[in-house]
Amino acid sequence: EQFLLTNECYQALVVGKFCEPIDSHLAYVAYKRGKCHMELIDVTNRYGLFKHQARYLVEEQDPALWATVLSPQNEYRRSVIDEVVSVALPETKRADLVSSTVKAFMIAELPNELIELLEKIVLQGTEQEFRSNRNLQNLLLLTAIKADKSRVMDYINQLDAFDAPEIAEIAIDADLFEEAFVIYKKFKLNVKAIQVLIKHIKKLERAVDFADTCANSPDGKEVYSNLGEAQLNEGLVTDAIESLMKAEDPSFYERVVDSAKKGNALDSLAKYLKMCRKKVRNERVDSELAYTFAKLGRLSELDDFINSQNIARIQDVGDMCYREALYDAARMLYANINNFAKLASTLVKLQHFSSAVEAARKANSIQTWKEVNRACVDTQDFRFDKIAGINVILHPDELEETCHYYEVRGHTNELITLLDSALGLDRAHNGLFVELAIIYSKHRPQKLMEHLKFWRKHVKENISKLVQVCRNNRQWAEVVFLHEIDNDYEKAAKMMMDHSVDAWDDLKFKEIIAKVSHLELYYDAIKFYLDQHPDLINDLLTVLSVRLDPAKVVERVSKLNHIALIKRYLISVQEKNVSQVNEALNELYIEEEDYESLRQSIDTYDNFDSVALARKLEKSDLLEFRRISARLYRQNKRWKQSIEISKKDHMYKDAMDTALQSGDGEIAEGLLDFFVKEDNKHAFAACLFTCYELVRPDYAVELAWRNQIIDFAFPYLIQVLREYTHKVDTLVIDSKKKIEAAQQQPSNPVPPPVPSSYGFPQPPILPPGGLIPPPIMGPPGMMAPPGTMMPPTGGMMPPPGQMMVGFAPPGALVPTGMAGPGVPPGLQAPPSGYTGDNFGFF
């Protein structure tokens, strides 16, 4: 064995294998010398050398080796553990060997075996170093907490070098609350101890007793503080306040205040807050103390408090008191900080209206005046409501609400008085006048119009609202007036027409309608007057005549079958010569059988359908209308129709005038034939006189001769003879003057005219290409003087032997269409050598 321990020059594995069957102890030594772990473990297991194996394991400190030995598959594990606990570790004096061994047991998760190990070292060991080792004690307690909780309390009582706070926390996590409490109590950690009692054990009675035992300890106040917090959590407000006062702890004042208010422990709260004021300077503390005094009704203490030095939020306290109807306290608080607005509100609640008005005047706030006013109205104290109300209604935004407040409570008389008293103020705004008008509209309609007229400039600013109110109340006259002052004349006029019973006035309507710019409304007004006031329609039309379209007026009125009602208007505008107006008036004249006016109308104004009117009058039973019809036909150059009408009515004078105006000889001669057939000799003579210029003399004489009325044609013949002789004399004189004028120009002699056998000078022969001067013409139908032949119309008869322009040669027939005027087609020209001495009528 000595050789094996000291000799280094052998192979431990070979020697160990050799020694195993001979001496297992020597094999163990050889293996130990050569660090042959597995062979050593094997031999010690086989031969029961567990004590040697335990010592070897402790000394080697090899985690892998420990893991192999402590493995559950090792059937010898229990034997090895017993030897380690009982022999190997107690023998060692090295802490590192103990530590590695304990660690190996922990890794192998052998808590019970570890406890045995630690008990052997810490509790039963002889080495003082291990007995008082903090880590070993901690490890023992932790292992016991984990593996065998029943031993923990015993270990706590026996050990005193472990880390108490950490172990206690672990014990708490393991639900070992009593053990944790004992740890804290043993190590004088009273605060922690009472926390365990409160939070985990939850025995406030034990906590109270424990706190009393700690009253004189250095941390006694903190213990009471924790106790007080716990009592607060449990709702034991009074007990909590007592504990906190013992602790002299103001840190929980917020919770104490809230809890005391809920639990109505205000007396205790006042004491606590007084204590807090000595410890801290805090707004909340002072504020809550003031509120508590107010809540308890201790107004004298409150007055002393607020008048002494403090940092309370008096405003907030006052607001709380106000909300909780502690008005006396609130009054003191608001007065202390000169908050006159809130003071006024509080005085209102106390119904001290006189003082409230003074406070409101100092506050000078619209909201304050409003509150005072509302309170006076609610209590029907109308001595002070006007003072406050005027200050309210002078602000436009508050006016409507104030009026509504009075109205819904039935105080309309007081409201009218209030508004009326404000109208004369310098600060009066237009809304006051409007709102008073609205009140009048609802409750005093008889005063509304007077008010509107007097204050028309002021109500104009917000007229739409007032109009709507009046419409809702069916005050149509006032609505019209409002539209008028708003220059909305169209709406005013429409309103008058829509509600004529209440709103219409003739003079006012005509004044308004004349200012309307929408022309269509004029015609609506005309229809309105025709329907409801037909006797005034012409006055209306006269007012509107400048802007009306007469044609449109006639059209609209005609559709209503009231054209006769506007006759006076039509006469006044007829000077514009509008066809519709003329025709309408003509129709009226026909209906009225007023032929004189009709004649004057058609003579003066020609813009109408005269033919249609003539046809209508032609069938009339009145002679004068038929005469007008003939006249209209004549104006339209319908001569035959006009003459026929006149002939039927024996209005021969009219017929003659028509024939004359026609300028048509055929028509005139036809009229002569009619008179001859009617044997109206006098009319025949008159027609010859009237149509003198149209009737051919030869036709007239022949007609008279054939019908043996030549005597009635003689006036006509005498006139024709006189006219023709005068014309011949005039031609002779003119011819002589021309000859004399030509003789006075020798430089360009003109051959004298050759006298013809007809008594007329022959025109001079002009050079080739010269122009033939115009012939001298007589009047149509004029007969030639005796012994002469009348030249054809438009020229002179040529001298003998010369052919006249436009005449056929002697003995020739005149072709149809080429005969001269007065020569019928196919008539044979005068024979050769004819001189015209025997010229007669054709």
Side-chain angles (χ1 to χ4, degrees):
E1 180 178 5
Q2 184 64 30
F3 171 79
L4 292 176
L5 289 174
T6 57
N7 191 348
E8 297 180 359
C9 297
Y10 64 91
Q11 293 181 352
L13 182 59
V14 175
V15 174
K17 289 291 183 180
F18 176 78
C19 293
E20 281 186 15
I22 300 172
D23 188 344
S24 58
H25 176 70
L26 294 178
Y28 159 76
V29 173
Y31 287 145
K32 179 179 179 182
R33 178 70 182 79
K35 303 292 185 182
C36 298
H37 303 315
M38 301 311 297
E39 288 76 7
L40 185 147
I41 296 300
D42 178 63
V43 72
T44 53
N45 286 340
R46 284 188 288 113
Y47 293 100
L49 303 177
F50 298 112
K51 186 180 296 183
H52 296 292
Q53 183 179 346
R55 290 190 181 105
Y56 180 78
L57 289 172
V58 171
E59 291 174 359
E60 287 299 321
Q61 302 182 54
D62 188 344
L65 188 59
W66 274 113
T68 301
V69 173
L70 297 179
S71 173
Q73 289 77 23
N74 184 9
E75 59 181 317
Y76 305 106
R77 183 178 69 170
R78 182 68 252 181
S79 300
V80 176
I81 291 173
D82 290 340
E83 293 300 328
V84 170
V85 172
S86 60
V87 177
L89 275 182
E91 291 178 353
T92 185
K93 298 183 183 300
R94 292 172 54 187
D96 58 330
L97 297 180
V98 174
S99 176
S100 62
T101 303
V102 170
K103 184 176 180 181
F105 274 71
M106 292 175 64
I107 293 173
E109 296 183 354
L110 300 170
N112 293 321
E113 290 78 0
L114 181 60
I115 291 174
E116 295 175 12
L117 174 64
L118 293 174
E119 280 186 351
K120 194 70 174 178
I121 298 172
V122 176
L123 297 179
Q124 301 172 12
T126 58
E127 295 295 330
Q128 184 62 32
E129 179 183 356
F130 296 148
R131 290 177 61 87
S132 61
N133 187 279
R134 179 175 60 85
N135 292 330
L136 293 177
Q137 290 189 10
N138 290 341
L139 185 57
L140 177 59
L141 287 171
L142 291 175
T143 306
I145 291 171
K146 183 177 181 181
D148 190 358
K149 296 180 180 179
S150 60
R151 298 182 182 185
V152 175
M153 183 63 77
D154 184 47
Y155 292 158
I156 292 171
N157 291 326
Q158 294 184 52
L159 302 175
D160 56 5
F162 56 89
D163 294 326
E166 289 79 0
I167 299 300
E169 290 294 332
I170 295 172
I172 292 172
D173 293 338
D175 296 334
L176 300 175
F177 304 126
E178 290 291 344
E179 287 79 355
F181 171 70
V182 172
I183 291 172
Y184 287 134
K185 183 177 180 181
K186 181 177 182 178
F187 286 86
K188 304 297 182 182
L189 298 174
N190 298 323
V191 176
K192 292 289 186 178
I194 199 169
Q195 288 177 352
V196 172
L197 287 174
I198 293 169
K199 294 180 181 180
H200 303 291
I201 300 176
K202 298 181 180 180
K203 298 291 184 180
L204 283 181
E205 297 80 2
R206 288 179 60 189
V208 171
D209 295 337
F210 178 73
D212 291 338
T213 61
C214 301
N216 298 323
S217 63
D219 55 358
K221 292 183 178 180
E222 190 174 355
V223 170
Y224 274 115
S225 179
N226 280 271
L227 176 61
E229 182 181 7
Q231 290 170 329
L232 278 177
N233 294 335
E234 293 297 323
L236 305 174
V237 181
T238 304
D239 294 338
I241 291 175
E242 183 179 353
S243 298
L244 291 173
M245 290 183 67
K246 291 178 180 179
E248 297 182 358
D249 184 3
S251 60
F252 293 97
Y253 71 89
E254 292 183 350
R255 292 189 58 194
V256 170
V257 168
D258 295 337
S259 300
K261 288 180 180 179
K262 292 178 181 179
N264 198 25
L266 297 180
D267 287 322
S268 300
L269 176 61
K271 296 176 183 178
Y272 175 72
L273 291 175
K274 287 181 180 179
M275 181 275 297
C276 291
R277 287 195 74 205
K278 298 176 181 178
K279 297 293 182 178
V280 295
R281 181 177 174 83
N282 185 276
E283 285 185 352
R284 175 78 186 275
V285 172
D286 285 10
S287 300
E288 292 296 342
L289 181 57
Y291 171 75
T292 303
F293 285 148
K295 191 73 174 175
L296 292 171
R298 291 150 62 171
L299 298 181
S300 58
E301 292 184 63
L302 174 62
D303 186 54
D304 294 338
F305 173 78
I306 60 178
N307 288 314
S308 63
Q309 186 176 4
N310 65 84
I311 56 173
R313 295 190 295 271
I314 301 298
Q315 176 68 45
D316 295 341
V317 177
D319 292 342
M320 286 192 293
C321 293
Y322 183 85
R323 286 193 297 270
E324 297 181 21
L326 304 173
Y327 297 124
D328 287 316
R331 175 181 57 80
M332 296 173 61
L333 292 165
Y334 290 138
N336 180 263
I337 58 175
N338 295 329
N339 188 339
F340 297 109
K342 298 298 289 187
L343 177 60
S345 301
T346 306
L347 292 169
V348 162
K349 296 295 184 181
L350 295 170
Q351 296 190 5
H352 299 166
F353 295 118
S354 177
S355 301
V357 168
E358 292 301 322
R361 186 175 286 111
K362 295 177 182 179
N364 195 23
S365 166
I366 178 61
Q367 195 62 33
T368 304
W369 284 119
K370 183 177 176 181
E371 188 174 358
V372 174
N373 172 257
R374 300 295 189 270
C376 292
V377 173
D378 291 340
T379 57
Q380 298 187 18
D381 189 341
F382 296 109
R383 295 173 299 168
F384 302 101
D385 76 302
K386 294 178 182 60
I387 299 175
I390 286 177
N391 288 279
V392 174
I393 63 177
L394 287 177
H395 294 266
D397 295 339
E398 303 292 338
L399 174 60
E400 186 174 350
E401 182 183 350
T402 301
C403 293
H404 179 73
Y405 199 85
Y406 274 84
E407 260 190 292
V408 297
R409 287 159 179 78
H411 304 309
T412 54
N413 292 331
E414 289 74 13
L415 175 59
I416 291 172
T417 303
L418 173 63
L419 293 172
D420 192 54
S421 62
L423 297 184
L425 300 177
D426 294 337
R427 294 172 56 198
H429 53 86
N430 294 326
L432 291 170
F433 302 91
V434 174
E435 286 299 326
L436 182 55
I438 292 174
I439 299 302
Y440 279 146
S441 174
K442 294 178 180 178
H443 306 286
R444 301 287 187 276
Q446 66 276 11
K447 292 186 177 182
L448 177 58
M449 184 60 80
E450 179 185 355
H451 174 77
L452 295 177
K453 290 180 178 179
F454 191 79
W455 301 108
R456 60 188 302 162
K457 292 183 179 179
H458 297 280
V459 299
K460 187 177 180 180
E461 298 299 326
N462 193 8
I463 208 165
S464 58
K465 178 181 178 181
L466 190 52
V467 166
Q468 188 59 45
V469 173
C470 292
R471 287 176 68 94
N472 294 338
N473 296 327
R474 307 182 69 81
Q475 294 157 342
W476 308 118
E478 287 78 3
V479 173
V480 171
F481 178 77
L482 291 171
H483 286 315
E484 182 184 1
I485 63 177
D486 194 34
N487 297 328
D488 194 347
Y489 301 111
E490 293 182 6
K491 290 184 179 179
K494 286 181 180 178
M495 191 60 61
M496 273 193 173
M497 291 187 288
D498 293 342
H499 305 280
S500 58
V501 175
D502 299 318
W504 179 80
D505 178 77
D506 182 47
L507 295 178
K508 178 59 69 176
F509 183 82
K510 287 187 286 190
E511 179 183 346
I512 291 173
I513 198 67
K515 300 176 183 179
V516 171
S517 59
H518 186 46
L519 297 180
E520 190 63 29
L521 196 59
Y522 292 167
Y523 303 102
D524 294 340
I526 293 172
K527 182 179 183 301
F528 165 73
Y529 264 71
L530 288 172
D531 292 341
Q532 300 191 22
H533 306 283
D535 55 324
L536 301 173
I537 182 61
N538 286 289
D539 295 338
L540 175 68
L541 292 171
T542 301
V543 172
L544 303 178
S545 59
V546 177
R547 303 184 65 183
L548 284 174
D549 180 5
K552 198 169 184 180
V553 173
V554 172
E555 178 187 353
R556 296 289 183 91
V557 178
S558 297
K559 290 180 180 179
L560 300 173
N561 294 323
H562 292 311
I563 197 69
L565 295 175
I566 63 169
K567 178 180 177 183
R568 196 175 72 193
Y569 162 74
L570 296 176
I571 293 173
S572 66
V573 299
Q574 193 178 13
E575 61 186 11
K576 297 180 181 179
N577 199 19
V578 178
S579 62
Q580 290 87 344
V581 175
N582 295 336
E583 291 174 359
L585 274 175
N586 293 340
E587 290 290 336
L588 288 176
Y589 292 146
I590 293 172
E591 291 179 8
E592 297 171 358
E593 298 184 353
D594 187 357
Y595 60 86
E596 292 183 357
S597 298
L598 178 61
R599 183 180 293 112
Q600 181 181 358
S601 174
I602 63 177
D603 288 344
T604 309
Y605 309 106
D606 58 355
N607 188 9
F608 63 94
D609 189 351
S610 57
V611 175
L613 181 60
R615 287 173 182 166
K616 183 176 183 178
L617 294 175
E618 183 179 355
K619 300 175 184 179
S620 176
D621 294 334
L622 294 180
L623 173 62
E624 290 298 330
F625 282 162
R626 294 196 299 272
R627 290 186 66 192
I628 294 173
S629 174
R631 187 171 185 174
L632 291 171
Y633 280 130
R634 181 173 62 204
Q635 290 176 355
N636 286 277
K637 298 183 180 182
R638 298 190 178 192
W639 318 110
K640 292 181 180 180
Q641 290 173 282
S642 176
I643 291 172
E644 286 299 322
I645 294 172
S646 298
K647 287 193 298 184
K648 289 179 182 179
D649 292 332
H650 304 287
M651 303 303 297
Y652 300 133
K653 176 67 168 62
D654 294 345
M656 296 174 196
D657 291 340
T658 302
L660 177 62
Q661 289 185 20
S662 70
D664 189 344
E666 183 179 352
I667 294 175
E669 292 171 357
L671 186 58
L672 288 175
D673 287 340
F674 170 77
F675 289 142
V676 169
K677 290 178 182 179
E678 293 289 323
D679 194 22
N680 193 334
K681 302 172 183 178
H682 297 284
F684 177 81
C687 184
L688 286 174
F689 176 78
T690 303
C691 301
Y692 172 78
E693 297 180 354
L694 302 178
V695 178
R696 292 174 296 170
D698 58 333
Y699 181 82
V701 173
E702 181 181 359
L703 186 62
W705 174 67
R706 285 179 180 179
N707 292 280
Q708 298 179 359
I709 53 174
I710 194 67
D711 291 341
F712 289 92
F714 258 94
Y716 169 75
L717 292 174
I718 293 170
Q719 178 63 30
V720 169
L721 182 59
R722 174 69 184 88
E723 183 176 352
Y724 272 70
T725 55
H726 175 71
K727 288 182 178 180
V728 170
D729 292 342
T730 301
L731 290 172
V732 171
I733 293 171
D734 289 343
S735 179
K736 289 180 179 181
K737 289 181 180 180
K738 290 179 180 179
I739 294 172
E740 291 175 359
Q743 290 176 352
Q744 293 177 2
Q745 296 178 358
S747 60
N748 189 12
V750 178
V754 179
S756 67
S757 60
Y758 304 105
F760 294 98
Q762 184 177 357
I765 299 174
L766 297 178
L771 297 175
I772 301 175
I776 300 174
M777 294 179 59
M782 185 180 70
M783 293 183 297
T788 64
M789 186 178 69
M790 188 68 187
T793 303
M796 298 170 55
M797 292 295 292
Q802 293 187 8
M803 186 178 65
M804 186 175 180
V805 178
F807 276 68
L813 290 176
V814 180
T816 302
M818 296 183 60
V823 181
L827 182 66
Q828 189 175 11
S832 179
Y834 179 73
T835 61
D837 292 337
N838 56 350
F839 179 80
F841 294 103
F842 291 104

